[in-house]
Amino acid sequence: MSSRHLILLLSGLEVLAILPIASFPALLTDFIAAWDLTKTEAGWIAGVYYLGYMLLVTPAVTLTDRFDARTVFVLGCAVTGISTLAFAVFADGFWSGFLLRAIGGAGQAAVYMPGLRALTDRLKGGEQSRAVTFYTASYSIAISLSFTVTGLLAERYGWRISFAVVGIACLVSAVAAWVALKPQPPQHANGRPLFALKPVLRNRDAMGYIIGYAAHGFELTAMRAWLTAFLVFVLARDAAVAASLPSPTVLAAIITLIGLPASLLGNELALKIGRRRALVLIMGISGLMGLVLGFTAGLPVWAVLVYSAVYYVFIGGDSGALTAGMLAAAEPAHRGSTMAVHSAFGFGISVLGPLCVGLALDQVEHAAGGQSIVTWGIGLAVMGLGALLGPVALLWTARKAAASPGV
């Protein structure tokens, strides 16, 4: 199989396997009403997906140092698919939704990074950087399709059928990966510990990208979880305009799809002006825009949609460059461990994004006596504050690494 076909295959399988990720956020306002959830409870169900991911990602990714990443990827797709089908059949409130989404997130721990490892293990040299960026950018396609497929199917057939369809897509991805990818065990799989944390923590260059990725994840998952609900609020303020537009779910899908070219362009900018410089610029602008997003609800609807789309360009513009930077900085003997820390820390912090925004919204709404532009402004500003930690970490670790070149 040519490298181009391999990249397209793994990216396509990634899209199918990740389809359930935004299913709950896409219908968040419906679940709040149907299950009588507080915004904090809704934030927990949206965020626990990433908690499940965090708890399993270290063993899942480090196993790719010992076993073929193809096998790990297939198992992850299967667990995600089965748990999503179970959600479609059994979920009926906070605790059942919480548990089944957590299991789905645990399955995803064996999908995204093991899939990336399965791709890079089958490529050589210069093919890897742009392949990594294309693969990570395909994540945006998966998110957009997750919003779109979930929303459209739910409108026509109900949310249970919608969840069942995306669960089946995961199982299709598992079968296709097992059939299409040739086995390829990792080189030098024996003779060393399966997981080595200390070498990763000592690698200050890699840790800068890892902390930056965590800040990116906090902002991204918060935006993904609350974008549809925010658009529901914005459109409710102008019913005439809302009637001429697609549903908030479809609008959210269109906005998130913009993340695909953003990630590719962000990586190309990093190749031209330097990875850290590009990331500090992109993440700095993104964080500042996040501080303002909620307050734009007072603007005309078209202005809110444009602002949200531009903001999502900057949110998505750093993902590929952060992951490519981590892989480039990783020691070859500890690549699996570095990828595991990258994912565990990044997605572990991602749990807090939807939850912190939900908590902020609940507290401000309680104090103000209901939803308003100010409550959404303060609640969503939490995203921007989290994102701004990324460029700070990149600059700090770069300075530390320069001061101790021998470490």
Side-chain angles (χ1 to χ4, degrees), residues 277-362:
R277 182 181 299 175
L279 286 170
V280 168
L281 175 65
I282 293 169
M283 297 185 80
I285 294 174
S286 179
L288 293 175
M289 292 190 73
L291 293 176
V292 178
L293 175 64
F295 294 103
T296 66
L299 299 176
V301 171
W302 67 265
V304 178
L305 294 175
V306 170
Y307 188 94
S308 299
V310 173
Y311 176 40
Y312 207 87
V313 168
F314 285 96
I315 291 178
D318 54 14
S319 178
L322 285 165
T323 301
M326 174 273 298
L327 284 169
E331 298 175 11
H334 302 292
R335 178 169 290 174
S337 296
T338 306
M339 293 173 73
V341 174
H342 184 77
S343 291
F345 192 56
F347 281 82
I349 297 299
S350 295
V351 175
L352 301 177
L355 177 60
C356 288
V357 171
L359 283 168
L361 287 169
D362 270 344

Side-chain angles (χ1 to χ4, degrees), residues 265-277:
L265 293 173
N267 189 65
E268 292 302 313
L269 178 65
L271 293 175
K272 290 183 181 298
I273 70 172
R275 189 173 280 120
R276 284 184 189 271
R277 182 181 299 175

Side-chain angles (χ1 to χ4, degrees), residues 56-95:
L56 266 292
V57 72
T58 296
V61 178
T62 51
L63 281 172
T64 65
D65 277 342
R66 189 69 57 84
F67 304 100
D68 188 354
R70 159 184 174 259
T71 303
V72 180
F73 178 83
V74 167
L75 290 173
C77 293
V79 171
T80 304
I82 292 169
S83 65
T84 305
L85 287 172
F87 192 102
V89 176
F90 300 113
D92 61 1
F94 174 77
W95 285 110

